[in-house]
Amino acid sequence: MKKFLGMIMLIAILAMAVVTHGAPKKVEISFLVTKPEIVTQFRKTFDAYSATHPNVTISTIPLSGQTIYEKLTSLYASGNAPTITMVGGPEFTAFKDKFLDVTNTKFGKAAYDWSVRRTTMNGKIYAVPTTAEGIGIMYNKTVIEAATGKKFDPASIKSRKDLRELLQKIAKTKYAPVQLSNMDWLLGSHMTSILYAAMSKDYDERQKILLQCAKGKFDFMRNDTFNGWMDTFDLLMTYNMHKGAPLGNTYEDDQLAMAKDKVAFWVIGNYVYPNIVGMNPDAKVGMMPYPISDNQADYGNSQITLTHSFFAIDGAQSSKSEQAAAIDFFNWLLTSAKGQKHYIDTLIFTPVYKGFSIQPSNPVAKEIVSYMKKGKTLERMSDYFPAGITVKFGAAMQRYMDGVGTRKDVADSFKKDWLEMSSK
């Protein structure tokens, strides 16, 4: 009888414990993955997290052809905001009031101070960096060395003149010297970041230039950096393997051409590296600067653009349990040994966080870390652009690529776009 009463009491105590602390509940959270090229890698990472956190399911929301700004605008307007999203600087500015304060989270405290300056307001952090990324020109070492018969050192390309001479040599072989992608986000955001960053070494001076642009007072056609940036673009268009139909190639076409050792150079970021090695594990690719002049000493000729987008958690429409699950996911991803392994090996990210026990081993990430250590990086200026303007910049560059616009048309379009989008 005593044993029976004891069991009854134990059951009662366990029942009380469940009532007091609450049984684990199933939670489904959503993640707006704004880098279509690594959706698969994100899904693998989510699956790994859910394997040890079975009550949490993470679903992915694709961009489906929209820009980040357009997608977030429609999702928030319909009351279906993603629990987690990846944003750039303009989108952060546009939606910052909707994001959750993550200042006191374990992962928020692990981010380097410099990496969250852009997303800190009144001493509180509203988004953390995704990964250190480099934007410049991707090179294929296998192609270049096969075409020239010599070992290739990216540091040997110190100016546009050096690049021109190498493109001329490769053009005489069976290999394509260069490919230009036509996506508006690449042309209008990533490439224009190089342009505005190379205009001055000085942060305050760059901000003054952007202010002049916003007031419609910046004269692009009289600016040496703009003309140097366009001269290099002209050079790349001359040797572009798609120049017969420059708007006809897809992002997937270009990834395959680089992975299959068909082309030597490609203006892009290292975010595409996982796809390249996914198609060809033996691919020997790396990143180098986009030269903007024939003078080796000019600022911008020896720097790559360092960038990172941000992870943000919705603080406006998600429930407390969804927000708690999102915080737990990032604590796992960024501060646990298992999570960090997936961050490095599955997502192939380069950490911008303190206390990482694992460091990237892939050669492109190592190159970016090397540029960071040498201080040879350009600031990502698109973080300061008004939301929506990069699409317009991209459209102007697409028209130029397609031969239906002149350099002056690009300059006039940039000037008009700045004035229009800054007034919204």
Side-chain angles (χ1 to χ4, degrees):
M1 185 63 180
K2 282 184 179 177
K3 187 180 288 184
F4 176 73
L5 289 174
M7 287 186 67
I8 294 293
M9 288 180 67
L10 178 60
I11 291 170
I13 290 169
L14 289 173
M16 283 292 292
V18 169
V19 170
T20 304
H21 300 292
K25 293 180 180 177
K26 295 277 187 183
V27 180
E28 180 171 349
I29 61 177
S30 56
F31 197 125
L32 176 60
V33 179
T34 57
K35 289 185 178 297
E37 61 269 43
I38 55 171
V39 169
T40 302
Q41 290 85 343
F42 265 112
R43 284 181 178 148
K44 287 181 181 176
T45 304
F46 299 156
D47 289 344
Y49 172 76
S50 294
T52 52
H53 301 74
N55 291 318
V56 181
T57 303
I58 307 176
S59 60
T60 56
I61 301 175
L63 279 176
S64 303
Q66 292 181 292
T67 65
I68 302 172
Y69 179 78
E70 291 168 345
K71 191 73 177 183
L72 279 177
T73 298
S74 63
L75 289 172
Y76 271 106
S78 63
N80 296 307
T83 319
I84 302 168
T85 189
M86 296 168 67
V87 291
E91 295 82 22
F92 175 80
T93 300
F95 294 92
K96 61 182 184 297
D97 294 338
K98 300 184 183 302
F99 296 149
L100 189 70
D101 172 11
V102 295
T103 312
N104 294 317
T105 60
K106 192 174 179 181
F107 67 88
K109 292 176 181 176
Y112 286 112
D113 292 344
W114 59 265
S115 70
V116 291
R117 283 183 194 138
R118 181 73 179 80
T119 57
T120 299
M121 299 182 295
N122 300 319
K124 295 181 178 179
I125 301 168
Y126 289 90
V128 295
T130 52
T131 172
E133 292 180 334
I135 296 172
I137 298 181
M138 177 171 276
Y139 60 83
N140 185 316
K141 197 169 184 179
T142 301
V143 170
I144 298 168
E145 292 183 350
T148 62
K150 297 178 181 177
K151 284 196 172 298
F152 176 64
D153 178 1
S156 64
I157 307 299
K158 298 176 181 176
S159 67
R160 183 171 53 241
K161 176 175 174 291
D162 295 335
L163 180 60
R164 182 187 301 111
E165 289 173 356
L166 185 52
L167 293 176
Q168 288 169 345
K169 288 180 183 175
I170 297 169
K172 295 175 182 174
T173 71
K174 67 176 183 179
Y175 297 102
V178 66
Q179 62 181 357
L180 278 175
S181 292
N182 50 55
M183 299 83 72
D184 56 9
W185 55 263
L186 178 73
L187 298 168
S189 175
H190 296 193
M191 283 200 63
T192 53
S193 267
I194 298 171
L195 164 65
Y196 292 99
M199 285 185 177
S200 176
K201 291 180 183 177
D202 183 73
Y203 171 84
D204 291 335
E205 185 60 31
R206 293 195 298 274
Q207 291 299 317
K208 285 180 184 175
I209 291 170
L210 295 191
L211 188 59
Q212 284 182 295
C213 291
K215 293 179 178 176
K217 295 182 177 178
F218 190 80
D219 190 342
F220 286 91
M221 285 301 286
R222 291 179 179 273
N223 180 267
D224 290 342
T225 307
F226 173 76
N227 283 301
W229 180 77
M230 289 294 291
D231 286 346
T232 301
F233 197 72
D234 287 346
L235 173 67
L236 298 176
M237 285 205 305
T238 300
Y239 291 98
N240 181 15
M241 64 187 283
H242 305 299
K243 66 180 180 181
L247 302 185
N249 51 305
T250 67
Y251 190 24
E252 290 72 24
D253 294 335
D254 298 337
Q255 293 174 46
L256 191 62
M258 180 57 73
K260 297 298 181 184
D261 298 333
K262 293 182 177 178
V263 62
F265 294 104
W266 182 22
V267 179
I268 199 72
N270 71 298
Y271 41 79
V272 78
Y273 180 75
N275 289 21
I276 301 296
V277 294
M279 290 183 270
N280 178 10
D282 297 324
K284 293 181 180 177
V285 298
M287 297 297 300
M288 65 178 218
Y290 177 102
I292 48 94
S293 76
D294 287 334
N295 183 356
Q296 296 181 6
D298 282 351
Y299 185 62
N301 281 341
S302 58
Q303 291 86 9
I304 63 167
T305 300
L306 181 66
T307 177
H308 55 77
S309 51
F310 303 98
F311 292 127
I313 298 173
D314 171 56
Q317 297 181 2
S318 300
S319 68
K320 295 294 182 189
S321 60
E322 290 168 339
Q323 292 170 358
I327 289 171
D328 189 65
F329 169 71
F330 283 122
N331 280 335
W332 172 83
L333 180 69
L334 300 169
T335 67
S336 78
K338 281 188 177 178
Q340 289 178 357
K341 182 170 175 53
H342 279 280
Y343 182 93
I344 296 288
D345 294 340
T346 305
L347 295 172
I348 313 187
F349 278 179
T350 304
V352 197
Y353 292 88
K354 294 167 276 189
F356 250 68
S357 57
I358 309 169
Q359 290 300 313
S361 58
N362 80 74
V364 181
K366 285 183 175 179
E367 273 186 317
I368 292 169
V369 171
S370 174
Y371 278 104
M372 288 169 64
K373 286 182 176 177
K374 293 175 184 173
K376 289 186 173 296
T377 59
L378 300 173
E379 184 179 16
R380 171 170 151 152
M381 297 302 291
S382 60
D383 282 347
Y384 304 103
F385 293 173
I389 199 170
T390 57
V391 176
K392 291 182 174 289
F393 288 163
M397 294 305 292
Q398 286 172 338
R399 291 192 293 274
Y400 186 73
M401 285 178 74
D402 205 27
V404 295
T406 65
R407 179 177 300 200
K408 185 174 185 306
D409 291 332
V410 173
D412 291 345
S413 181
F414 281 10
K415 187 173 183 177
K416 175 176 165 288
D417 296 338
W418 267 106
L419 198 56
E420 177 190 346
M421 301 307 287
S422 299
S423 61
K424 288 189 174 180

